[in-house]
Amino acid sequence: MSLAVFPFKTEEPSLVVSNLATAAAHPAIDEVWAVAPEVGGAEAAVRAMAPEVSGAHAKPVEVIIQERLGTYRSGKGDAMNTALTLAAEQGRDRVHFYDADITNFEASWIDGAERAADRGFGVVRHRFPRAATDAMITWMITRPALARLFPGTFLPRLDQPLGGEVLLTRPAVETLAASDLVRSRSDWGIDTVLTYATSVMDLGFYEHHVADGKRHALYGSLDELREMLIECLDAVASLSGRPGPRPGARHATDPPAPVPEDLKQTTAYDVEATVRLLDAEWSADEIHLAESLPPDLSYLVLDPPTRPRFELMDADRWHMAHGLLMENFALGDPAWESLAFRLWLTRVLSYTTNQARQGFDAAMEYLESTIRRYEVIAAGSS
Ligand code: DGY
């Protein structure tokens, strides 16, 4: 039997509880945990509603307070590591993790993951289409980094390396619970290190395709993703120098499926409000850092009236900027955090106002081709 775990914090309590109920109703699931920090979130409201879900399905539905286990900002990583530690101690055979904000979570997610585990895959990740302007950390930070660091392996080809939807079998749970890399990562970087750590376990790695996409609340300005961006950047940069999955390691994925039309038309964030973020004041330290960038990027620090704002940040300039960030970014240093955010905004806006306007299919093909190209460059220089 399997355990289902939902880390949560500020999601709408009724949505969290509805997802707990979907999991509890599934015949493969014998227990459900919702893991959250104690203060400042939705914990009390979810705790109040959990007994009803538990009663309705005659299964334990527990709300667990996350422990302080990691060394970074205390966030989602502490929640996932709290669950991993407990699950390992209890000798759980299979543990499903799902983000609590999914609005179209249903039994088929659990079915798909269970089927792949029945076929002997030790790790199952869910993959799903997202709007062309969604997943901008995945497309601009994480997958380019995996292409640089692990070219020729399945890591750069993973569809959702930041997704929190995964099934782990017992050996994977035990290895993760004992991993310092994973346990220390208490912030948004947890999904990155978990993806990496599970990729090198050699337990068989399956991507289950959710054709309807993962539906979740969309963003206002991309300022909402600032913290996640810098933590995910730091996490993936921390993988530098580590070995990748063994060549020929077992990896398989469901075949592609048609993408729902409404998803193809969705704009995932507020473009106008995001352009305005580029007007933010530069600190003296940030200007100093930006002035040390190579000439191809130094347009960023030209006089504001003559500075192109984001139009020039194409895939090649971004390859250069991304490489500099991978090598030099310092989490906790305000100038680096601000410069990384600004550089990423210029890249996302450049793509959004060019390729993303050419329609979903062309945009996806463009994004995939940039990852392939970054991989070729990395393979050539290693
Ligand atoms: C990503 O980039 O995948 C994050 O979920 C933000 O959309």
Side-chain angles (χ1 to χ4, degrees), residues 130 134-139 160 162 219 225 228:
R130 297 174 72 181
D134 194 2
M136 287 293 106
I137 303 174
T138 295
W139 280 117
Q160 296 298 331
L162 295 185
Y219 314 112
L225 293 182
M228 187 186 283

Side-chain angles (χ1 to χ4, degrees), residues 111-267:
D111 293 335
E114 289 282 334
R115 260 196 316 271
D118 289 345
R119 288 168 55 202
F121 288 92
V123 177
V124 186
R125 291 191 73 78
H126 296 272
R127 57 175 296 177
F128 29 79
R130 297 174 72 181
T133 47
D134 194 2
M136 287 293 106
I137 303 174
T138 295
W139 280 117
M140 302 306 181
I141 299 289
T142 312
R143 289 191 58 187
L146 297 175
R148 263 173 205 285
L149 299 177
F150 310 107
T153 72
F154 66 81
L155 269 172
R157 307 251 59 84
L158 290 180
D159 192 61
Q160 296 298 331
L162 295 185
E165 295 75 25
V166 56
L167 164 58
L168 305 165
T169 55
R170 186 171 177 161
V173 171
E174 286 171 354
T175 310
L176 291 171
S179 157
D180 287 338
L181 174 73
V182 173
R183 193 184 183 83
S184 66
R185 200 79 225 190
S186 38
D187 61 5
W188 287 119
I190 185 65
D191 298 302
T192 307
V193 297
L194 199 132
T195 295
Y196 166 77
T198 50
S199 80
V200 294
M201 286 176 185
D202 219 359
L203 294 173
F205 197 109
Y206 197 83
E207 287 182 272
H208 166 248
H209 191 72
V210 179
D212 190 35
K214 170 183 162 182
R215 308 304 177 110
H216 60 102
L218 296 169
Y219 314 112
S221 96
L222 287 182
D223 204 34
E224 288 177 28
L225 293 182
R226 191 181 197 276
E227 188 175 67
M228 187 186 283
L229 165 81
I230 58 177
E231 293 177 358
C232 289
L233 169 61
D234 185 73
V236 80
S238 79
L239 302 178
S240 180
R242 291 179 182 266
R246 169 182 74 75
R250 187 169 176 227
H251 167 252
T253 177
D254 286 329
V259 176
E261 277 309 313
D262 68 306
L263 203 69
K264 289 187 174 186
Q265 308 303 333
T266 303
T267 304

Side-chain angles (χ1 to χ4, degrees), residues 20-21 24-25 48-62:
L20 301 182
M49 291 185 265
E52 198 178 320
V53 180
S54 175
H57 300 284
K59 290 175 192 175
V61 176
E62 307 287 345

